[in-house]
Amino acid sequence: MNNSFFSNLKSDAPAGLVVFLVAVPLCLGIALASGAPLFSGIIAGMVGGIVVTMFSGSQLGVSGPAAGLAAIVLAGIQELGAFEIFLVAVVIAGIIQFVLGVARAGIIGYYFPSAVIKGMLAGIGLIIFLKQIPHAFGYDADPEGDLGFIQADGENTFSELINMINFISPGAITIALISLAILILWEQQFIKRIKITQVIQGPLVVVIVGIILAISFSGTSMAISQDHMVSIPVASDFNGFIDQFTLPDFSAFGMIEVWVLGITIAIVASLETLLCVEATDKLDPQKRVTPTSRELRAQGIGNFVSGMIGGLPVTQVIVRSSANIQSGGKTRASALIHGFLILISAMIIPNVLNMIPLSSLAAILLVVGYKLAKPSLFKQMFKSGYQQFIPFVVTVLAIVLTDLLKGIGIGMAVAIFYILLNNLKNPFVLKETHDKAHKHYRIVLAEMVTFLNKAQILRVLNRVPNDAELLIDASRTRHIQHDVLEILSDFKESAKYKNIDLKMCCTEQLDLNGYEQSLGELMVDAKAAKNMIKEKELERPEA
C-alpha cells in the first residue's frame, strides 16, 4: 500500500472514528433484523471495512452489512434451517459477484438517471431521520439499521412516531438533545476556527458526553436502561472471541436452494452496491469516479471472506459512506480505519462500547439524515424542471413508503417513462418547399428511429396530401428499427393510390434490416436530395 493511501490521515482518522461509531449499532441492528447471530453483523462490518476497502477503487465508499438484504437473509436462514448452511450461499454470492466484476458488469451502474440517484440520497436521508426519532426518545423496539417502511416490531415508519410517545425515556431524550446541540455547535464557523475542533470531531464528543451522562443518571429517575445502550457481544477471553466466528457447512454446497439464495444475494447486493457507488460519487467533493467493475470484484472478495468466517453479506452502504463524507474523509484510509476499529474494539473493549447510549448515536444519524435530505436539494431539483423533479420526488416517496430497492425500481420506471416521452417527441423534422405550385415535403429522420416513434411517423405520413412529392431523408440516420421500416414499406404501396411521388435518401451506414429490396428503388443520394427540394420547416405535429 503506497504512502498516498495515508497522506490524509489528519482528515481520514477522525472520519474513520465517526464511521466506526455509526457502524457498530447498525451492524448489530441489521444482524438482529436478519435473524442471524449478533456477532455476524460485527464480522461483516470488519470485512467490509478491511477486506473490501483493500481491493476497492472507491475513495469514500464504506461497506458492511446492508439493511436491504435483511429480509432475504432472514428468509434464507429460515428456509435452509441452519446459519452454517446459509454461509455457503454467502460464499457462492461472493464468487458470482467476482465473476460479474471480471465480466465488467459494473458498467450497469453508469445507467442510473441522476434524478433517481439524488432521489435515493434524499429518500435515505428522510428514512434515517424518521427512524432515529424514536431512538432519540429512548424507544428502541425497532432495531438500528431497519430502513423498511414495515418494521420488524410490527409498526411502520410513521406509526412508530406515535407509538413512541408512550415510551419516552427522560434520560435518553436529554442525552439526545444535548448531543444535537453539540453537533450543531460544532458546525459553526467560530468553533471550526479552533484548532482542537479540527482534530476532535463533534460525534466523538457526543459519544463521550453521552457515556458520562448515562453514568451520572444511573440510580436516578433519568437512568438509561441497558436496552437503550449499544449491545455488542462480549467474550471472556481471546479464545472466546475466536469462538464467535462460524465456519460454513460445505456439505450443503450441492443443495439447489443454497445456489438459488446465493444468486439472489449476488444480484441484490450488486445492484445495491452500484446504486450506492453512484450516490457516493455524487456526494464526493472532489467528484472522483469509482471503477464499478473493480468494486464488484472487491465486493465479491468481501462476501467470499465474510461467508467463510461467519459474517453477513456485505455491500457498499450509503449511511456509512455519507457519514464518512460529512465527517471529512478524503481517501480509502477512513474506511480501512473504521474496519480495524471494529475489529480491535470487539476484541479488546466491547464493554466500553456497551456504555454508549443509543440516543447519542441517534443524534449523529439525525444530522446525517438531514444533510442528505436538505430542503435546498428539493429546491434545486424543482428548478431543474418537471422531467427531473417528478422522478426525483417519486423516488423519494417510494423509498420512504417501501424500501430502498423497490423505491429505486419505481423511480427508474418513472425516469424511463420521461426518457421515452422525449424520444417520442424527436424522431424527425417535417419540412416543405417554397414552391406553392407543387407540394414538396421532406421528413428528416433522427439518428435512431425505433418502434417508439411509430405513432408519430404514421400520423405525419397520413398528413401528406395526394399528388405530393415526399422525400424521407435518412442521411443522418444510423439505425431504423424493423417496425418503422415496415411502416415505410407499407406507405410505399399506399402512396401509389394517392399519387404521391415517394423517394428516400440514406447513407451507406443505415441498417435497413432486410428491407433493401422493397425500399431500394426509392433510394436517392444525399446530393440529389438537396437539389430536389428547397425546404422550410413546418410546425411540428403535436406529440
Side-chain angles (χ1 to χ4, degrees):
M1 201 172 294
N2 55 38
N3 293 331
S4 63
F5 191 91
F6 294 108
S7 60
N8 291 281
L9 272 183
K10 183 179 178 181
S11 300
D12 289 331
L17 178 59
V18 173
V19 177
F20 155 70
L21 293 171
V22 168
V24 168
L26 293 178
C27 291
L28 294 169
I30 291 168
L32 181 62
S34 302
L38 290 181
F39 199 72
S40 66
I42 297 296
I43 293 171
M46 298 176 197
V47 171
I50 299 172
V51 178
V52 174
T53 301
M54 296 284 284
F55 294 94
S56 171
S58 177
Q59 294 299 315
L60 297 173
V62 183
S63 297
L69 288 170
I72 295 172
V73 173
L74 178 63
I77 294 173
Q78 291 175 346
E79 181 183 353
L80 297 176
F83 183 65
E84 292 79 6
I85 297 177
F86 167 78
L87 293 177
V88 179
V90 179
V91 172
I92 291 171
I95 295 171
I96 294 171
Q97 279 188 292
F98 186 83
V99 172
L100 289 173
V102 171
R104 301 189 180 278
I107 195 173
I108 296 169
Y110 297 128
Y111 291 94
F112 296 116
S114 176
V116 174
I117 296 300
K118 290 179 179 178
M120 183 188 88
L121 288 171
I124 290 292
L126 279 175
I127 290 176
I128 294 170
F129 193 90
L130 293 170
K131 295 285 189 181
Q132 291 305 314
I133 294 175
H135 294 293
F137 277 72
Y139 183 56
D140 303 295
D142 188 46
E144 288 278 9
D146 182 2
L147 300 181
F149 181 69
I150 304 300
Q151 300 180 166
D153 64 345
E155 301 290 337
N156 62 53
T157 303
F158 297 112
S159 68
E160 189 84 319
L161 299 177
I162 299 171
N163 196 40
M164 74 179 184
I165 297 173
N166 300 316
F167 301 94
I168 293 176
S169 167
I173 196 170
T174 300
I175 291 173
L177 290 173
I178 293 173
S179 299
L180 278 173
I182 292 171
L183 292 170
I184 293 170
L185 184 65
W186 233 256
E187 292 288 321
Q188 307 308 308
Q189 288 301 320
F190 73 93
I191 291 292
K192 288 182 177 180
R193 285 194 287 266
I194 302 172
K195 285 188 177 180
I196 193 170
T197 63
Q198 298 173 12
V199 178
I200 301 176
Q201 293 286 318
L204 177 59
V205 177
V206 162
V207 168
I208 293 171
V209 170
I211 292 173
I212 293 171
L213 288 173
I215 294 172
S216 66
F217 290 161
S218 181
T220 70
S221 60
M222 304 276 282
I224 309 294
S225 72
Q226 196 58 42
D227 293 340
H228 304 319
M229 300 287 193
V230 171
S231 181
I232 189 170
V234 178
S236 56
D237 53 27
F238 181 74
N239 288 333
F241 173 76
I242 295 298
D243 288 342
Q244 294 183 91
F245 291 85
T246 307
L247 296 176
D249 180 4
F250 281 110
S251 65
F253 192 77
M255 290 175 59
I256 186 66
E257 297 86 355
V258 171
W259 278 90
V260 170
L261 181 59
I263 293 169
T264 302
I265 292 172
I267 293 172
V268 175
S270 298
L271 285 174
E272 188 158 341
T273 290
L274 293 174
L275 286 164
C276 290
V277 163
E278 283 291 297
T280 301
D281 286 351
K282 286 192 179 298
L283 292 174
D284 183 3
Q286 298 182 38
K287 301 303 176 188
R288 289 164 288 192
V289 178
T290 298
T292 50
S293 293
R294 176 178 170 181
E295 187 64 26
L296 284 183
R297 295 195 296 272
Q299 296 291 334
I301 294 170
N303 274 314
F304 179 84
V305 173
S306 187
M308 289 295 291
I309 61 176
L312 293 175
V314 298
T315 72
Q316 189 175 128
V317 277
I318 195 60
V319 179
R320 274 156 271 191
S321 300
S322 58
N324 184 27
I325 294 166
Q326 292 172 19
S327 301
K330 303 293 184 186
T331 70
R332 290 185 294 152
S334 57
L336 188 68
I337 290 167
H338 126 273
F340 276 112
L341 285 175
I342 294 177
L343 171 61
I344 293 167
S345 61
M347 186 188 302
I348 300 174
I349 55 167
N351 287 312
V352 175
L353 293 181
N354 290 341
M355 296 170 67
I356 302 174
L358 290 175
S359 54
S360 292
L361 300 176
I364 297 171
L365 288 168
L366 282 170
V367 173
V368 170
Y370 173 77
K371 288 184 176 180
L372 285 174
K374 278 184 176 179
S376 58
L377 175 60
F378 287 81
K379 292 179 182 177
Q380 175 194 341
M381 294 305 296
F382 181 77
K383 291 178 180 177
S384 300
Y386 74 93
Q387 293 191 10
Q388 291 292 309
F389 184 67
I390 292 178
F392 168 79
V393 170
V394 169
T395 304
V396 171
L397 293 175
I399 287 174
V400 171
L401 296 176
T402 57
D403 57 42
L404 177 62
L405 291 176
K406 288 179 184 175
I408 287 289
I410 294 169
M412 284 289 293
V414 175
I416 290 171
F417 169 78
Y418 279 105
I419 292 170
L420 296 179
L421 191 63
N422 283 333
N423 188 278
L424 284 171
K425 290 179 179 178
N426 300 291
F428 55 82
V429 177
L430 177 63
K431 302 181 179 182
E432 72 170 348
T433 68
H434 289 285
D435 185 358
K436 294 182 180 179
H438 299 88
K439 301 171 186 176
H440 295 304
Y441 291 85
R442 180 186 179 196
I443 295 176
V444 182
L445 298 179
E447 187 171 348
M448 294 287 293
V449 188
T450 71
F451 74 97
L452 298 170
N453 309 130
K454 284 172 60 175
Q456 283 289 87
I457 291 176
L458 275 171
R459 186 180 303 173
V460 172
L461 288 174
N462 289 333
R463 290 179 56 197
V464 177
N466 294 351
D467 306 316
E469 292 182 11
L470 173 62
L471 172 66
I472 298 175
D473 185 353
S475 59
R476 299 177 183 176
T477 307
R478 297 288 178 176
H479 176 74
I480 300 180
Q481 206 168 41
H482 176 278
D483 301 60
V484 178
L485 287 170
E486 195 172 71
I487 289 173
L488 297 179
S489 182
D490 291 343
F491 183 76
K492 168 192 168 184
E493 297 302 317
S494 65
K496 297 175 182 177
Y497 298 98
K498 296 180 179 180
N499 197 30
I500 295 174
D501 184 10
L502 175 64
K503 293 287 189 296
M504 182 173 179
C505 75
C506 66
T507 61
E508 293 180 0
Q509 293 92 334
L510 180 61
D511 178 11
L512 291 178
N513 292 324
Y515 274 80
E516 290 93 339
Q517 185 172 357
S518 60
L519 294 176
E521 64 190 66
L522 299 177
M523 300 299 168
V524 296
D525 61 41
K527 186 175 180 180
K530 288 181 181 179
N531 296 328
M532 186 182 296
I533 54 174
K534 297 178 181 179
E535 325 86 30
K536 71 173 184 179
E537 288 204 357
L538 277 179
E539 181 179 347
R540 192 176 297 174
E542 294 182 4

